[in-house]
Amino acid sequence: MITPAEAEQVILSRLRPLPAEDCPLLQTHGRVLRAPIIAERAFPPFDRVTMDGFAVRSAAVATGRRRFRIQGLQAAGMVPLALESDDACVEIATGAVQPAGADAIVPYEQTQRDGDAMVLPDSVTVMAGQNLHARGSDAAAGTVLVPVGARLTGREIAVAASCGCGTLSVSQRPSVAVVATGDELVEVEAAVVAPHQVRKSNDYALRAALLGTAATACVERFHLRDLKHELERPLRGILAEFDLVLLTGGISKGRFDYIPDVLTHLGVENLIRGVAQRPGKPFWFGMSSRQTPVFALPGNPVSTYTCLHRYVLAALAHMAGAEPARPDYVALAQPTSFKAPLAWLLPVVVTVSPEGRRTAQPAPFNTSGDFAGLVGTDGFVELPPGPREFPAGTVARFWAWH
């Protein structure tokens, strides 16, 4: 049986990139960039004033001049003035263009005003270039400011706007089918739930987590019964329609676990059947004949939710061409032990001390059906196979819930 890392590698190696599309800038938040954002001109495009005050010639101050005639006022967005002489200054606002002939800005708080003149106290020194943001000092024209693969947030969108990019090339967002299987499942709104039934929850949890990543265009939910003759036809249509198919339940070794056989009959190539992990050992992955990724997750809620975060979200990001996420790590806050020869995907509560130390408090679930046990946790760590003891301070990779 393969390890979680090996399973992840198998999955990512078989995924195809999603097509690119042009998207209006206002709708690009959370999308993955497919063409770089390039500086159309120097950044900043002019010598920019960074303090409210007065623009002067530093050489004039160096000769001992302390009084300057205020020849005018220049706000941000105005055509720049030019200093008329050594004894002149320009009252100026933050964001304005440096006046021609001036090379320093003296802030208001370091000056005194005497009618239409500005006076520098003897204690004030003036250096060339002070309080000025030099043209091109951030980036030259033609520089790649945001690379392909970046997930767009407000920061990248601000850069795009400053470059005049009204539209951006981004990855299309895939459509995802979430298929819950099981005769025991009833709708959330059911007024009466028989003792042998449970309300559906996995499909709600998966849909919420998927939409929370801004990675999908739509997530549609389906419910299929554990009847082999009723599974094939709807699954055939789902495989033909959606960009990624996510099933939950019906994949273990029970007599009513028909999903693997039905998927194989429908032409889905099985690439993973079982991963050496807890929870989620029966995890199943394959590719349809039209190269649609198919994930079949164990039906127990904790297993389903954990496998989604360990494998499916990374697969969607990879399909979108996103730069791989930097691994996150935490240290265990207390010792714990695990006896099974499996990787342990252990829910944790992350805390940060006043000194900045980030630690993870283990929060083991009761069983893999204990969905309520995940409430209050922040994610899970992946610990190597047991049997072994994990002392406090053990560093492990961390995945946050979405």
Side-chain angles (χ1 to χ4, degrees):
M1 193 173 296
I2 64 176
T3 67
E6 290 169 338
E8 181 180 28
Q9 183 57 42
V10 170
I11 294 167
L12 299 185
S13 69
R14 293 298 299 266
L15 300 177
R16 297 187 307 175
L18 293 162
E21 65 180 5
D22 290 336
C23 182
L25 184 61
L26 288 174
Q27 299 174 22
T28 57
H29 186 269
R31 307 291 291 273
V32 176
L33 191 65
R34 293 291 287 273
I37 299 173
I38 297 173
E40 63 170 349
R41 52 181 183 161
F43 267 52
F46 50 80
D47 294 321
R48 177 179 171 273
V49 173
T50 62
M51 295 283 285
D52 295 324
F54 298 92
V56 299
R57 291 176 184 162
S58 60
V61 178
T63 64
R65 186 177 299 280
R66 311 303 290 181
R67 185 181 182 89
F68 297 85
R69 173 177 53 86
I70 303 172
Q71 72 172 61
L73 172 66
Q74 183 182 321
M78 289 179 58
V79 175
L81 301 174
L83 282 186
E84 298 170 348
S85 60
D86 282 356
D87 69 345
C89 69
V90 172
E91 188 173 2
I92 200 156
T94 299
V97 179
Q98 173 186 333
D103 64 358
I105 308 299
V106 185
Y108 279 132
E109 54 269 29
Q110 294 182 1
T111 67
Q112 297 172 356
R113 190 158 190 151
D114 183 13
D116 60 357
M118 180 272 288
V119 179
L120 287 178
D122 292 340
S123 60
V124 174
T125 59
V126 176
M127 303 292 293
Q130 72 178 36
N131 300 317
L132 288 169
H133 190 184
R135 179 181 182 275
S137 59
D138 292 342
T143 300
V144 173
L145 300 177
V146 184
V148 170
R151 193 173 292 280
L152 298 168
T153 68
R155 295 163 296 178
E156 292 81 13
I157 290 170
V159 172
S162 70
C163 292
C165 300
T167 62
L168 293 175
S169 177
V170 297
S171 296
Q172 289 184 8
R173 292 184 296 181
S175 58
V176 179
V178 174
V179 184
T181 66
D183 293 346
E184 75 279 16
L185 303 177
V186 298
E187 289 296 334
V188 172
E189 299 85 358
V192 178
V193 181
H196 61 279
Q197 295 177 319
V198 294
R199 289 188 172 92
K200 292 193 292 182
S201 61
N202 280 347
D203 52 347
Y204 283 88
L206 298 179
R207 180 180 182 276
L210 288 164
L211 293 177
T213 67
T216 52
C218 69
V219 181
E220 291 195 33
R221 298 165 42 248
F222 301 86
H223 176 212
L224 303 179
R225 298 175 63 197
D226 288 326
L227 296 172
K228 195 170 186 178
H229 65 279
E230 291 188 12
L231 290 169
E232 183 173 327
R233 184 173 179 180
L235 281 179
R236 186 186 302 276
I238 289 168
L239 289 169
E241 180 180 351
F242 290 86
D243 298 312
L244 184 144
V245 176
L246 182 56
L247 299 103
T248 173
I251 64 165
S252 295
K253 298 185 181 298
R255 291 185 60 185
F256 300 100
D257 291 329
Y258 300 123
I259 293 298
D261 287 345
V262 171
L263 290 175
T264 299
H265 180 71
L266 293 174
V268 179
E269 178 189 6
N270 178 222
L271 298 168
I272 299 173
R273 187 166 189 177
V275 179
Q277 63 186 18
R278 182 177 293 172
K281 184 179 176 182
F283 177 88
W284 194 101
F285 171 74
M287 297 292 289
S288 76
S289 58
R290 61 185 286 265
Q291 297 305 296
T292 299
V294 181
F295 293 86
L297 311 182
N300 282 323
V302 176
S303 301
T304 292
Y305 203 59
T306 303
C307 287
L308 173 83
H309 287 79
R310 182 61 181 87
Y311 304 108
V312 182
L313 298 185
L316 285 167
H318 188 80
M319 290 169 66
E323 283 293 312
R326 290 192 295 268
D328 192 8
Y329 295 91
V330 293
L332 294 182
Q334 68 179 49
T336 189
S337 61
F338 188 55
K339 297 180 180 179
L342 305 168
W344 192 15
L345 309 181
L346 171 66
V348 294
V349 177
V350 176
T351 59
V352 181
S353 71
E355 297 76 29
R357 178 172 170 76
R358 187 164 172 256
T359 57
Q361 181 73 32
F365 47 85
N366 187 27
T367 69
S368 56
D370 180 21
F371 218 164
L374 296 184
V375 175
T377 64
D378 297 299
F380 64 92
V381 294
E382 182 177 316
L383 297 172
R388 63 190 296 176
E389 301 285 332
F390 299 97
T394 299
V395 175
R397 189 170 175 188
F398 170 74
W399 280 263
W401 302 130
H402 287 275

